[in-house]
Amino acid sequence: MPAPRKFEPHYRRIIADIRGRIASGEWPPGHKLPSTKALAEMYEVGSQSTVRQAVTILIETGELYGHQGLGVFVADRAGRQSEG
């Protein structure tokens, strides 16, 4: 009998999906992510703070970067901000 699956927090699911979109090239370096509200709707989570938690982790790991007032963008493969 397979072991029961443990609960995976929503923010981890969001991180995995964003990483998948980046890896597949769907969201290339420099791509602007949708708004927090749009991402919350896309991932069907009731709280925008869940999305912010996932995005914050991806910023801390260098996979995304934010520009105050402009949004959040995909970093280049080396974890740096894309020029453009």
Side-chain angles (χ1 to χ4, degrees):
M1 171 189 281
R5 295 186 78 174
K6 292 182 179 180
F7 171 76
E8 181 177 26
H10 294 299
Y11 77 92
R12 287 190 183 168
R13 180 176 52 89
I14 294 168
I15 289 171
D17 186 74
I18 291 173
R19 284 179 171 155
R21 289 172 188 265
I22 293 168
S24 74
E26 180 181 349
W27 289 358
H31 175 83
K32 182 179 178 182
L33 270 65
S35 69
T36 302
K37 181 179 179 182
L39 287 171
E41 291 172 1
M42 185 171 109
Y43 291 115
E44 299 178 345
V45 294
S47 171
Q48 291 180 37
S49 66
T50 301
V51 172
R52 281 192 290 273
Q53 182 179 12
V55 169
T56 298
I57 290 169
L58 292 169
I59 288 172
E60 289 172 353
T61 61
E63 296 165 83
L64 302 176
Y65 64 94
H67 274 292
Q68 185 68 33
L70 295 177
V72 176
F73 301 83
V74 176
D76 70 14
R77 301 273 186 249
R80 294 183 303 263
Q81 296 180 12
S82 296
E83 298 298 321

